[in-house]
Amino acid sequence: MTDPRLVTLGFSCAYIAYVALVRDRRGAPPARAIEAAIPTGIELTVAHAGTIKTYRFGRRILVGRAPSADLRLDDPRVSRLHARIEIRDDGVYVEDLGSRNGTTVDGIAVAEPRRLAVDDEVAVGSAALVFRGVGAWR
């Protein structure tokens, strides 16, 4: 019969050999994905119904009255799905989704997707959405 102390010694030697020969060659672990410098969200200041609030959203925002909208505005002049604001490869764009009353950026009607600059004001119904920028937050 084998002595249990010899079995323990064998496992210990095998572990030390693994640490010395294999584990140390792997190098440092890669950086966490969340620490990447990729913008992950849109920040908007919303002035509607006498209140002003700043919100942080994901990479795409649906604006409208529908329960499925990310930014719900209780306004009869806002369509169920009124507009979309999204991050694309070359910037942040706003697009009207065929709403009845339209969407404007700094007073100019949006007929096709339009790139936003920081502090541009998007008007949807009686609400003013001021684009504040993009950031990486949790």
Side-chain angles (χ1 to χ4, degrees), residues 4-69:
R5 292 179 292 181
L6 290 176
V7 173
T8 304
L9 179 64
F11 281 127
S12 298
C13 290
Y15 179 74
I16 290 170
Y18 166 77
V19 170
L21 299 175
V22 177
R23 186 171 180 212
D24 292 339
R25 291 186 184 175
R26 291 187 296 182
R32 294 178 49 204
I34 194 73
E35 296 172 354
I38 299 171
T40 58
I42 301 169
E43 185 170 324
L44 294 176
T45 299
V46 180
H48 178 63
T51 62
I52 299 174
K53 293 183 180 179
T54 300
Y55 298 97
R56 291 178 172 170
F57 296 96
R59 297 180 62 85
R60 180 175 30 200
I61 307 165
L62 287 174
V63 181
R65 285 190 344 250
S68 61

Side-chain angles (χ1 to χ4, degrees), residues 17 27 31 38 41 44 47 49 54-55 75 82 86 95 115 128 131-132:
I38 299 171
L44 294 176
T54 300
Y55 298 97
D75 183 345
H82 194 99
E86 67 182 341
E95 179 181 4
R115 187 174 180 181
F131 172 62
R132 296 296 181 196

Side-chain angles (χ1 to χ4, degrees), residues 62-73 79-81:
L62 287 174
V63 181
R65 285 190 344 250
S68 61
D70 300 311
L71 178 59
R72 293 187 62 209
L73 300 172
S79 299
R80 290 178 49 78
L81 293 176

